[in-house]
Amino acid sequence: MLDNNIKTQLKAYFEKIVNPIVLTATLNDGDSSNQMLELLNEVAEQSDKITVNTNGNSTNVPSFTVGKAGEVARIAFSGLPMGHEMTSFILAILQASGYPPKVEQDIIESIQGLTGKFRFQTFISLSCHNCPDVVQALNLMAALNPNIEHEMIDGALFQELVDQRQIMAVPTVILNDEVFGQGRMSAEEIIAKLDTNASTRDAEKISAKAPFDSLIIGGGPAGASAAIYSARKGIRTGIVTQRFGGQVADTVGIENFISVKETEGPKLVLALEQHVKSYDVDVMNLQTAKSLSKSGDEIEITLENGATLKSKTVILSTGARWREMNVPGEQEYRGKGVAYCPHCDGPLYKGKRVAVIGGGNSGVEAAIDLAGIVSHVTLIEFDTKLRADAVLQKKLFSLSNVTVITNALSKEVLGADGKVTTLRYEDRTSNQMHDIALEGIFVQIGLLPNTDWLKGVIDLSPRGEIIVDQKGETSMPGVFAAGDCTTVPYKQIIIAMGEGAKASLSAFDYLIRS
């Protein structure tokens, strides 16, 4: 199951094991159980500090736990942790053994200070690139706090549990038998939800900070680039970000980032974060800007938690978010049949009927990928023809389980018993309404800039983009902007990074001249 290269890597990793680890499996005679036992035995062969036994008593079969010898295990994997989750498995072994995690000390102390009993379950798909972040965060918490348990559950393998829990999107986190959250979450975000006083403490700390020379709002490629360029100038630099990496963290394959033949979004985000933190940059994560104003020579940013920050210059790099259909039923069934990431959620719809909204490259690529998983895909396009590249259209039309409907306007999402059952659309030629019976709808119709909080303060285009000149300057002196939230054409990672650097250099030039 594991090739020699991986085994060699595991031997090196497992030299860091502090205390002996026991992998306890619950198995039956099925193929999945045989594969799990094979995997566990091969992993255990790479270290004399790992043993395997098969006397587990979990209700989920096949599954196994990871625990320190002599202690009750608090980390469990229901399903084979392959693909993206292999790293989660390796880290679980190291951290359960007592190996120090590579996270900030204040996060460790926050985890250890949590009181109460927390039993987490995370439903994942092995193709989901956001799921490992959540699994690893909760495994870390379980390793550090004896009051916390965590179980990863492969939704594709445990379909009955998925149906019972009505899981329609991954990652979905269950806490003590109640839905806790969906989507990518870091340990910081999970702690903030559990510790209700964390927001107030953060606001007090942030408000006490001295004014910055350059304050960047947004932690995507443009914001990271701006922060690095500012810090290299030796000026006091801060960055406020709701989620470091932005949309890039949700990107599966990246093949057009020059000098890197191919990579994945989470890997690029990690590299960006490490690069930013190698400089003297004050990173304020999990924070959302609420308003911007100017008084004299200083610009003030107010955050959602009530904190205020001041700076001589500000660089806006708030990026963009998935565009929604804005039809009745979309919000009601979001995460219950309405999805935005086919790579993450596609495996949950195996053998079912789905629709893809959007005929651009993203929509057609989604339809092609889903066609290999689901029973049937209906692609709905508003225009009279698809807008995707010719090579993608050729592939799409070669698939026997795909129907393409053009000149159609999505009107309503209908459902029953908490799940999507129907997509209603209007034929724009005849104005007649049609219903499609299905179980899932994947929305792929582009992005919207995250600039609603700037309306009436900074000049925006009719599409809501921040209007900038060739230097990245906005309509307010001292305020600059970069990336997907601006009027700069071609929303690409490499362009956003260049624009971030440009905005930073322009802000520095503004500082020395004023």
Side-chain angles (χ1 to χ4, degrees), residues 319-341:
R321 63 191 183 277
W322 291 114
R323 184 186 296 273
E324 299 175 349
M325 294 184 290
N326 289 321
V327 300
E330 181 177 16
Q331 293 304 318
E332 180 183 354
Y333 292 102
R334 187 178 183 129
K336 299 175 182 178
V338 176
Y340 300 85
C341 180

PDB file of all heavy atoms in Angstrom, residues 319-341:
ATOM      1  N   GLY A 319     -10.032  40.929  -1.265  1.00  0.00           N
ATOM      2  CA  GLY A 319     -10.351  39.803  -2.132  1.00  0.00           C
ATOM      3  C   GLY A 319     -11.816  39.717  -2.534  1.00  0.00           C
ATOM      4  O   GLY A 319     -12.536  40.717  -2.564  1.00  0.00           O
ATOM      5  N   ALA A 320     -12.242  38.502  -2.813  1.00  0.00           N
ATOM      6  CA  ALA A 320     -13.604  38.275  -3.310  1.00  0.00           C
ATOM      7  C   ALA A 320     -14.149  36.978  -2.720  1.00  0.00           C
ATOM      8  O   ALA A 320     -13.421  36.184  -2.130  1.00  0.00           O
ATOM      9  CB  ALA A 320     -13.608  38.211  -4.834  1.00  0.00           C
ATOM     10  N   ARG A 321     -15.445  36.771  -2.896  1.00  0.00           N
ATOM     11  CA  ARG A 321     -16.128  35.581  -2.380  1.00  0.00           C
ATOM     12  C   ARG A 321     -16.959  34.978  -3.504  1.00  0.00           C
ATOM     13  O   ARG A 321     -17.176  35.608  -4.540  1.00  0.00           O
ATOM     14  CB  ARG A 321     -17.028  35.945  -1.199  1.00  0.00           C
ATOM     15  CG  ARG A 321     -18.174  36.900  -1.567  1.00  0.00           C
ATOM     16  CD  ARG A 321     -18.877  37.442  -0.341  1.00  0.00           C
ATOM     17  NE  ARG A 321     -20.008  38.307  -0.658  1.00  0.00           N
ATOM     18  CZ  ARG A 321     -19.902  39.585  -0.960  1.00  0.00           C
ATOM     19  NH1 ARG A 321     -18.714  40.176  -0.993  1.00  0.00           N
ATOM     20  NH2 ARG A 321     -20.987  40.296  -1.226  1.00  0.00           N
ATOM     21  N   TRP A 322     -17.434  33.754  -3.279  1.00  0.00           N
ATOM     22  CA  TRP A 322     -18.265  33.102  -4.286  1.00  0.00           C
ATOM     23  C   TRP A 322     -19.528  33.914  -4.558  1.00  0.00           C
ATOM     24  O   TRP A 322     -20.210  34.352  -3.637  1.00  0.00           O
ATOM     25  CB  TRP A 322     -18.684  31.697  -3.829  1.00  0.00           C
ATOM     26  CG  TRP A 322     -17.563  30.696  -3.764  1.00  0.00           C
ATOM     27  CD1 TRP A 322     -17.054  30.097  -2.657  1.00  0.00           C
ATOM     28  CD2 TRP A 322     -16.820  30.180  -4.869  1.00  0.00           C
ATOM     29  NE1 TRP A 322     -16.038  29.252  -2.989  1.00  0.00           N
ATOM     30  CE2 TRP A 322     -15.873  29.269  -4.347  1.00  0.00           C
ATOM     31  CE3 TRP A 322     -16.854  30.386  -6.256  1.00  0.00           C
ATOM     32  CZ2 TRP A 322     -14.973  28.580  -5.149  1.00  0.00           C
ATOM     33  CZ3 TRP A 322     -15.972  29.697  -7.055  1.00  0.00           C
ATOM     34  CH2 TRP A 322     -15.046  28.805  -6.502  1.00  0.00           C
ATOM     35  N   ARG A 323     -19.829  34.112  -5.822  1.00  0.00           N
ATOM     36  CA  ARG A 323     -21.081  34.772  -6.203  1.00  0.00           C
ATOM     37  C   ARG A 323     -22.233  33.788  -6.009  1.00  0.00           C
ATOM     38  O   ARG A 323     -22.132  32.614  -6.370  1.00  0.00           O
ATOM     39  CB  ARG A 323     -21.024  35.229  -7.666  1.00  0.00           C
ATOM     40  CG  ARG A 323     -22.255  36.018  -8.109  1.00  0.00           C
ATOM     41  CD  ARG A 323     -22.178  36.306  -9.597  1.00  0.00           C
ATOM     42  NE  ARG A 323     -21.061  37.167  -9.922  1.00  0.00           N
ATOM     43  CZ  ARG A 323     -21.095  38.499  -9.892  1.00  0.00           C
ATOM     44  NH1 ARG A 323     -22.223  39.105  -9.572  1.00  0.00           N
ATOM     45  NH2 ARG A 323     -20.042  39.211 -10.205  1.00  0.00           N
ATOM     46  N   GLU A 324     -23.315  34.250  -5.428  1.00  0.00           N
ATOM     47  CA  GLU A 324     -24.473  33.396  -5.179  1.00  0.00           C
ATOM     48  C   GLU A 324     -25.552  33.636  -6.231  1.00  0.00           C
ATOM     49  O   GLU A 324     -25.552  34.657  -6.920  1.00  0.00           O
ATOM     50  CB  GLU A 324     -25.023  33.669  -3.775  1.00  0.00           C
ATOM     51  CG  GLU A 324     -24.007  33.374  -2.672  1.00  0.00           C
ATOM     52  CD  GLU A 324     -24.505  33.757  -1.295  1.00  0.00           C
ATOM     53  OE1 GLU A 324     -25.553  34.454  -1.208  1.00  0.00           O
ATOM     54  OE2 GLU A 324     -23.867  33.376  -0.304  1.00  0.00           O
ATOM     55  N   MET A 325     -26.483  32.698  -6.327  1.00  0.00           N
ATOM     56  CA  MET A 325     -27.578  32.837  -7.290  1.00  0.00           C
ATOM     57  C   MET A 325     -28.571  33.908  -6.857  1.00  0.00           C
ATOM     58  O   MET A 325     -29.253  34.501  -7.689  1.00  0.00           O
ATOM     59  CB  MET A 325     -28.319  31.502  -7.440  1.00  0.00           C
ATOM     60  CG  MET A 325     -27.499  30.398  -8.055  1.00  0.00           C
ATOM     61  SD  MET A 325     -28.495  28.895  -8.295  1.00  0.00           S
ATOM     62  CE  MET A 325     -28.748  28.366  -6.592  1.00  0.00           C
ATOM     63  N   ASN A 326     -28.672  34.116  -5.523  1.00  0.00           N
ATOM     64  CA  ASN A 326     -29.629  35.079  -4.967  1.00  0.00           C
ATOM     65  C   ASN A 326     -31.064  34.744  -5.377  1.00  0.00           C
ATOM     66  O   ASN A 326     -31.812  35.599  -5.863  1.00  0.00           O
ATOM     67  CB  ASN A 326     -29.262  36.514  -5.378  1.00  0.00           C
ATOM     68  CG  ASN A 326     -28.015  37.007  -4.677  1.00  0.00           C
ATOM     69  OD1 ASN A 326     -27.814  36.724  -3.488  1.00  0.00           O
ATOM     70  ND2 ASN A 326     -27.167  37.713  -5.396  1.00  0.00           N
ATOM     71  N   VAL A 327     -31.420  33.487  -5.169  1.00  0.00           N
ATOM     72  CA  VAL A 327     -32.792  33.044  -5.457  1.00  0.00           C
ATOM     73  C   VAL A 327     -33.383  32.455  -4.179  1.00  0.00           C
ATOM     74  O   VAL A 327     -32.653  32.029  -3.278  1.00  0.00           O
ATOM     75  CB  VAL A 327     -32.820  31.996  -6.592  1.00  0.00           C
ATOM     76  CG1 VAL A 327     -32.234  32.573  -7.871  1.00  0.00           C
ATOM     77  CG2 VAL A 327     -32.075  30.722  -6.182  1.00  0.00           C
ATOM     78  N   PRO A 328     -34.712  32.429  -4.079  1.00  0.00           N
ATOM     79  CA  PRO A 328     -35.343  31.821  -2.897  1.00  0.00           C
ATOM     80  C   PRO A 328     -34.874  30.387  -2.686  1.00  0.00           C
ATOM     81  O   PRO A 328     -34.760  29.619  -3.643  1.00  0.00           O
ATOM     82  CB  PRO A 328     -36.845  31.877  -3.234  1.00  0.00           C
ATOM     83  CG  PRO A 328     -36.970  33.014  -4.198  1.00  0.00           C
ATOM     84  CD  PRO A 328     -35.711  32.992  -5.015  1.00  0.00           C
ATOM     85  N   GLY A 329     -34.590  30.034  -1.446  1.00  0.00           N
ATOM     86  CA  GLY A 329     -34.190  28.678  -1.100  1.00  0.00           C
ATOM     87  C   GLY A 329     -32.694  28.444  -1.068  1.00  0.00           C
ATOM     88  O   GLY A 329     -32.231  27.473  -0.479  1.00  0.00           O
ATOM     89  N   GLU A 330     -31.914  29.360  -1.685  1.00  0.00           N
ATOM     90  CA  GLU A 330     -30.455  29.135  -1.742  1.00  0.00           C
ATOM     91  C   GLU A 330     -29.833  29.134  -0.345  1.00  0.00           C
ATOM     92  O   GLU A 330     -29.075  28.228   0.009  1.00  0.00           O
ATOM     93  CB  GLU A 330     -29.785  30.193  -2.613  1.00  0.00           C
ATOM     94  CG  GLU A 330     -28.269  29.995  -2.719  1.00  0.00           C
ATOM     95  CD  GLU A 330     -27.601  30.994  -3.638  1.00  0.00           C
ATOM     96  OE1 GLU A 330     -28.247  32.025  -3.963  1.00  0.00           O
ATOM     97  OE2 GLU A 330     -26.441  30.778  -4.021  1.00  0.00           O
ATOM     98  N   GLN A 331     -30.172  30.156   0.446  1.00  0.00           N
ATOM     99  CA  GLN A 331     -29.596  30.228   1.787  1.00  0.00           C
ATOM    100  C   GLN A 331     -30.168  29.142   2.698  1.00  0.00           C
ATOM    101  O   GLN A 331     -29.458  28.579   3.530  1.00  0.00           O
ATOM    102  CB  GLN A 331     -29.844  31.618   2.392  1.00  0.00           C
ATOM    103  CG  GLN A 331     -29.097  32.745   1.691  1.00  0.00           C
ATOM    104  CD  GLN A 331     -27.594  32.500   1.642  1.00  0.00           C
ATOM    105  OE1 GLN A 331     -26.997  32.065   2.612  1.00  0.00           O
ATOM    106  NE2 GLN A 331     -26.993  32.782   0.502  1.00  0.00           N
ATOM    107  N   GLU A 332     -31.442  28.866   2.540  1.00  0.00           N
ATOM    108  CA  GLU A 332     -32.089  27.853   3.373  1.00  0.00           C
ATOM    109  C   GLU A 332     -31.427  26.485   3.207  1.00  0.00           C
ATOM    110  O   GLU A 332     -31.283  25.728   4.179  1.00  0.00           O
ATOM    111  CB  GLU A 332     -33.573  27.761   3.017  1.00  0.00           C
ATOM    112  CG  GLU A 332     -34.346  26.729   3.816  1.00  0.00           C
ATOM    113  CD  GLU A 332     -35.799  26.625   3.373  1.00  0.00           C
ATOM    114  OE1 GLU A 332     -36.232  27.446   2.517  1.00  0.00           O
ATOM    115  OE2 GLU A 332     -36.496  25.720   3.854  1.00  0.00           O
ATOM    116  N   TYR A 333     -31.005  26.180   1.969  1.00  0.00           N
ATOM    117  CA  TYR A 333     -30.441  24.858   1.698  1.00  0.00           C
ATOM    118  C   TYR A 333     -28.934  24.901   1.459  1.00  0.00           C
ATOM    119  O   TYR A 333     -28.358  23.946   0.943  1.00  0.00           O
ATOM    120  CB  TYR A 333     -31.154  24.228   0.501  1.00  0.00           C
ATOM    121  CG  TYR A 333     -32.586  23.886   0.812  1.00  0.00           C
ATOM    122  CD1 TYR A 333     -33.628  24.701   0.357  1.00  0.00           C
ATOM    123  CD2 TYR A 333     -32.903  22.784   1.599  1.00  0.00           C
ATOM    124  CE1 TYR A 333     -34.950  24.405   0.664  1.00  0.00           C
ATOM    125  CE2 TYR A 333     -34.220  22.485   1.911  1.00  0.00           C
ATOM    126  CZ  TYR A 333     -35.241  23.295   1.443  1.00  0.00           C
ATOM    127  OH  TYR A 333     -36.546  22.997   1.754  1.00  0.00           O
ATOM    128  N   ARG A 334     -28.293  25.991   1.858  1.00  0.00           N
ATOM    129  CA  ARG A 334     -26.835  26.060   1.768  1.00  0.00           C
ATOM    130  C   ARG A 334     -26.246  25.011   2.712  1.00  0.00           C
ATOM    131  O   ARG A 334     -26.569  24.937   3.889  1.00  0.00           O
ATOM    132  CB  ARG A 334     -26.346  27.449   2.164  1.00  0.00           C
ATOM    133  CG  ARG A 334     -24.864  27.658   1.937  1.00  0.00           C
ATOM    134  CD  ARG A 334     -24.456  29.067   2.308  1.00  0.00           C
ATOM    135  NE  ARG A 334     -23.051  29.281   2.026  1.00  0.00           N
ATOM    136  CZ  ARG A 334     -22.569  30.295   1.328  1.00  0.00           C
ATOM    137  NH1 ARG A 334     -23.391  31.207   0.847  1.00  0.00           N
ATOM    138  NH2 ARG A 334     -21.272  30.425   1.129  1.00  0.00           N
ATOM    139  N   GLY A 335     -25.368  24.174   2.182  1.00  0.00           N
ATOM    140  CA  GLY A 335     -24.813  23.093   2.978  1.00  0.00           C
ATOM    141  C   GLY A 335     -25.741  21.911   3.129  1.00  0.00           C
ATOM    142  O   GLY A 335     -25.406  20.925   3.785  1.00  0.00           O
ATOM    143  N   LYS A 336     -26.936  21.998   2.534  1.00  0.00           N
ATOM    144  CA  LYS A 336     -27.912  20.906   2.593  1.00  0.00           C
ATOM    145  C   LYS A 336     -28.343  20.512   1.179  1.00  0.00           C
ATOM    146  O   LYS A 336     -29.460  20.095   0.947  1.00  0.00           O
ATOM    147  CB  LYS A 336     -29.131  21.334   3.403  1.00  0.00           C
ATOM    148  CG  LYS A 336     -28.812  21.690   4.853  1.00  0.00           C
ATOM    149  CD  LYS A 336     -30.032  22.212   5.576  1.00  0.00           C
ATOM    150  CE  LYS A 336     -29.696  22.610   7.002  1.00  0.00           C
ATOM    151  NZ  LYS A 336     -30.874  23.168   7.719  1.00  0.00           N
ATOM    152  N   GLY A 337     -27.426  20.703   0.258  1.00  0.00           N
ATOM    153  CA  GLY A 337     -27.708  20.414  -1.144  1.00  0.00           C
ATOM    154  C   GLY A 337     -27.204  21.509  -2.060  1.00  0.00           C
ATOM    155  O   GLY A 337     -26.888  21.256  -3.224  1.00  0.00           O
ATOM    156  N   VAL A 338     -27.127  22.737  -1.554  1.00  0.00           N
ATOM    157  CA  VAL A 338     -26.520  23.839  -2.306  1.00  0.00           C
ATOM    158  C   VAL A 338     -25.057  23.935  -1.882  1.00  0.00           C
ATOM    159  O   VAL A 338     -24.754  24.119  -0.698  1.00  0.00           O
ATOM    160  CB  VAL A 338     -27.236  25.178  -2.043  1.00  0.00           C
ATOM    161  CG1 VAL A 338     -26.520  26.305  -2.766  1.00  0.00           C
ATOM    162  CG2 VAL A 338     -28.684  25.107  -2.507  1.00  0.00           C
ATOM    163  N   ALA A 339     -24.149  23.781  -2.847  1.00  0.00           N
ATOM    164  CA  ALA A 339     -22.716  23.739  -2.555  1.00  0.00           C
ATOM    165  C   ALA A 339     -21.961  24.632  -3.523  1.00  0.00           C
ATOM    166  O   ALA A 339     -22.491  25.044  -4.565  1.00  0.00           O
ATOM    167  CB  ALA A 339     -22.209  22.306  -2.636  1.00  0.00           C
ATOM    168  N   TYR A 340     -20.706  24.921  -3.173  1.00  0.00           N
ATOM    169  CA  TYR A 340     -19.884  25.817  -3.986  1.00  0.00           C
ATOM    170  C   TYR A 340     -18.521  25.212  -4.306  1.00  0.00           C
ATOM    171  O   TYR A 340     -17.750  25.809  -5.039  1.00  0.00           O
ATOM    172  CB  TYR A 340     -19.705  27.159  -3.264  1.00  0.00           C
ATOM    173  CG  TYR A 340     -21.022  27.853  -2.989  1.00  0.00           C
ATOM    174  CD1 TYR A 340     -21.766  27.547  -1.864  1.00  0.00           C
ATOM    175  CD2 TYR A 340     -21.555  28.771  -3.897  1.00  0.00           C
ATOM    176  CE1 TYR A 340     -22.996  28.143  -1.617  1.00  0.00           C
ATOM    177  CE2 TYR A 340     -22.784  29.368  -3.666  1.00  0.00           C
ATOM    178  CZ  TYR A 340     -23.497  29.043  -2.520  1.00  0.00           C
ATOM    179  OH  TYR A 340     -24.723  29.630  -2.295  1.00  0.00           O
ATOM    180  N   CYS A 341     -18.246  24.023  -3.770  1.00  0.00           N
ATOM    181  CA  CYS A 341     -16.951  23.370  -4.014  1.00  0.00           C
ATOM    182  C   CYS A 341     -17.175  21.929  -4.470  1.00  0.00           C
ATOM    183  O   CYS A 341     -17.357  21.030  -3.640  1.00  0.00           O
ATOM    184  CB  CYS A 341     -16.090  23.400  -2.751  1.00  0.00           C
ATOM    185  SG  CYS A 341     -14.471  22.620  -2.985  1.00  0.00           S
TER     186      CYS A 341
END
